[in-house]
Amino acid sequence: MIVWFVVLYLLVSVGIGLYAGTRVHNTKDFAVAGRSLPLPVVTATVFATWFGAETVLGISATFVKEGLHGVVADPFGSSLCLILAGLFFAGRLYRLNLLTIGDYYRLRYNRTVEVLCTLCIVASYLGWVSAQIKALGLVFNVVTDGTVSQPLGMVLGAAIVLTYTTFGGMFSVAILDFVQITVIMGGMLYIGSLISDLTGGVGVVLSHAATAGKLAFFPEAKLDAWLPFIGAWMTMMLGSIPQQDVFQRITSAKDERTAVRGSVLGGALYFLFAFVPMFLAYSATLVAPAMFDALLKQDSQLVLPTLVLQFTPVPAQIIFFGAVLSAIMSCSSATLLAPSVAFSENIVKGLVPRMSDRTFLRAMRTVLVCFTGLVLGFALNSEATIFKMVESAYKVTLVAAFIPLFAGLYWKRANSQGALSAIAAGLTTWVGLELLGPSPAVWPPQLVGFMMAGVGMVIGSLLPIGRGRCR
């Protein structure tokens, strides 16, 4: 029964995506939904930016093993990313009326900065989208009781998401996000009430978690504990701001006020609902301690799906897996579209500048198919957990893309020379420490790279020789 529901749900999703495709007439429709989305839809699609595989399966599993201290990057860093993006970046970027975040780097600096930052942004999506595809494979494997293997599930999931995203672009992403957010919220709250009854109530679970030290958020008062903590927090909080999917949601809004409010509301909503999967997963350790201790050693990502399959009625299972599929599909479609649009606009279009809009739209869809194939290959061959794949994805944008974006918006003396110095200093420091630094490192390589990028921006912009364009 669950399998048939999953099939029906996937068919409906594809149908909605194909319908959305009828509204795509040009590249602006495909990339930013014609800048026409109202506040409820913008809020829903911002929420769906983060509520995906890592939230339902990755964060919950990490919390059970490490407690709140282990999930500082997500949801704490990621939700703050969306709120900060709304408060300090959305208004300024919306007014520029751009198609991609890469366009900003060209407008503010030059073509070289545009290409370098775009390549870093596109590369950061490889781990993020692969985590969503990996989660789809896991869900298909669980709901079919092993009939569909995880690798086959990844292939099927990637093909389904690719189909409706290719046709509908940002319109299909936005419409499906709005539909799916209802399923996610309703489903998670309903499952939470059922599991709460099994454990004796929310208070019992929280008390047990507190006694076990799982609710301790801040690390010990030691430098080697605080620096990795800050590094993980900043990677998601700041490294995720110069991202095309965040930018698309901002610029898809019908006006500047909607862009700002939608980003802040979506981030706050995400922070609240991210705790529901954590509550569910930890409840599993109270319901059947021996069984779930074994799962934690085998694959902690199976804790939550197994809890639902073993201890809830079939209707609840259908609702849960519907919510999980909603979360993963809404997130994966958006994160497939974003780097494909960025690469097409800021790399391909620069190489072939005289393309017609129709040809350019075809190029965007072609890049989307190619990127999906690359992501699928990475997902099939990666052994990293979903949470780690997401957590590591934004190190490159933290060290290379954030400082040029922030300085360009808030420092008038920032120029092309400073931006190139920031990118070079950030990337070389980060890569050098990752390859040659001590392991484990007291200073996280991405944190050092971020600081060096800031130094590079200041020195490069103030040097009189070779000073670049400044606006």
Side-chain angles (χ1 to χ4, degrees):
M1 188 173 180
I2 299 175
V3 174
W4 283 111
F5 168 79
V6 169
V7 171
L8 177 62
Y9 184 82
L10 295 174
L11 289 174
V12 170
S13 297
V14 172
I16 292 174
L18 295 178
Y19 166 74
T22 62
R23 300 186 61 180
V24 176
H25 305 294
N26 52 50
T27 52
K28 191 173 182 179
D29 290 341
F30 188 79
V32 292
R35 288 169 63 96
S36 62
L37 302 181
L39 180 60
V41 179
V42 174
T43 302
T45 197
V46 167
F47 172 85
T49 304
W50 288 111
F51 206 98
E54 78 294 342
T55 311
V56 180
L57 303 174
I59 293 176
S60 60
T62 304
F63 172 73
V64 172
K65 293 166 66 175
E66 303 177 28
L68 283 181
H69 174 75
V71 295
V72 58
D74 195 4
F76 291 93
S78 53
S79 56
L80 274 174
C81 156
L82 297 174
I83 293 170
L84 292 175
L87 293 176
F88 300 104
F89 295 86
R92 291 169 179 257
L93 292 174
Y94 188 88
R95 281 176 236 139
L96 296 174
N97 193 21
L98 304 174
L99 194 66
T100 68
I101 188 70
D103 289 344
Y104 170 79
Y105 293 108
R106 182 184 68 250
L107 180 70
R108 182 63 176 82
Y109 301 112
N110 59 26
R111 170 67 176 162
T112 304
V113 176
E114 172 195 14
V115 170
L116 290 175
C117 286
T118 298
L119 290 175
C120 290
I121 290 167
V122 170
S124 71
Y125 279 97
L126 191 59
W128 174 264
V129 189
S130 296
Q132 313 308 315
I133 300 301
K134 193 169 186 177
L136 283 172
L138 188 148
V139 171
F140 286 141
N141 178 257
V142 170
V143 298
T144 60
D145 198 23
T147 302
V148 175
S149 65
Q150 287 198 34
L152 179 58
M154 292 183 204
V155 174
L156 290 174
I160 292 165
V161 173
L162 175 64
T163 299
Y164 67 76
T165 307
T166 301
F167 283 95
M170 190 59 195
F171 267 123
S172 69
V173 170
I175 293 171
L176 280 168
D177 283 349
F178 187 67
V179 172
Q180 290 166 338
I181 193 174
T182 306
V183 179
I184 293 168
M185 291 181 174
M188 287 295 165
L189 290 176
Y190 173 64
I191 297 298
S193 67
L194 291 180
I195 300 303
S196 177
D197 291 340
L198 293 177
T199 59
V202 175
V204 173
V205 178
L206 293 179
S207 176
H208 191 281
T211 302
K214 300 297 182 181
L215 300 186
F217 179 65
F218 293 107
E220 298 178 64
K222 297 179 180 178
L223 189 66
D224 59 355
W226 268 95
L227 287 176
F229 181 82
I230 293 171
W233 197 338
M234 287 183 62
T235 299
M236 295 290 275
M237 182 174 64
L238 301 183
S240 304
I241 289 177
Q243 286 295 332
Q244 178 60 20
D245 59 320
V246 175
F247 178 85
Q248 276 180 299
R249 280 149 177 75
I250 291 170
T251 52
S252 296
K254 65 179 183 178
D255 54 46
E256 181 182 330
R257 185 182 180 190
T258 300
V260 174
R261 293 170 64 196
S263 186
V264 173
L265 288 173
L269 198 61
Y270 170 75
F271 181 75
L272 294 175
F273 268 85
F275 285 93
V276 179
M278 286 191 268
F279 167 79
L280 294 175
Y282 193 80
S283 297
T285 62
L286 276 68
V287 174
M291 178 191 299
F292 291 107
D293 282 347
L295 278 177
L296 284 173
K297 296 175 183 177
Q298 175 193 343
D299 185 352
S300 59
Q301 296 167 150
L302 292 172
V303 167
L304 189 49
T306 304
L307 170 70
V308 173
L309 284 174
Q310 295 285 340
F311 296 96
T312 63
V314 171
Q317 295 172 25
I318 291 174
I319 291 172
F320 171 78
F321 285 105
V324 172
L325 280 173
S326 294
I328 297 171
M329 290 173 64
S330 62
C331 191
S332 56
S333 60
T335 48
L336 276 175
L337 179 65
S340 304
V341 169
F343 188 85
S344 302
E345 166 73 5
N346 303 113
I347 305 297
V348 176
K349 193 175 182 179
L351 299 174
V352 191
R354 297 185 178 180
M355 281 189 292
S356 67
D357 192 74
R358 182 179 293 274
T359 303
F360 186 41
L361 179 58
R362 190 180 302 117
M364 280 187 177
R365 285 171 166 155
T366 302
V367 171
L368 178 61
V369 173
C370 295
F371 187 73
T372 303
L374 180 64
V375 164
L376 179 60
F378 186 81
L380 288 169
N381 292 283
S382 175
E383 296 182 0
T385 65
I386 291 170
F387 186 81
K388 287 299 179 185
M389 290 172 78
V390 171
E391 186 181 24
S392 301
Y394 296 121
K395 292 178 180 179
V396 64
T397 45
L398 176 70
V399 303
F402 178 79
I403 292 295
L405 174 64
F406 179 79
L409 289 173
Y410 287 98
W411 190 35
K412 291 183 178 180
R413 299 192 66 176
N415 58 33
S416 301
Q417 182 172 278
L420 290 171
S421 299
I423 295 169
L427 282 176
T428 54
T429 303
W430 170 58
V431 172
L433 289 176
E434 288 282 5
L435 296 177
L436 305 174
S439 181
V442 175
W443 283 85
Q446 75 273 19
L447 183 58
V448 181
F450 170 77
M451 292 188 292
M452 290 304 297
V455 173
M457 172 58 79
V458 173
I459 294 176
S461 295
L462 296 180
L463 281 176
I465 301 174
R467 179 170 291 173
R469 176 168 53 131
C470 178
R471 296 190 177 186

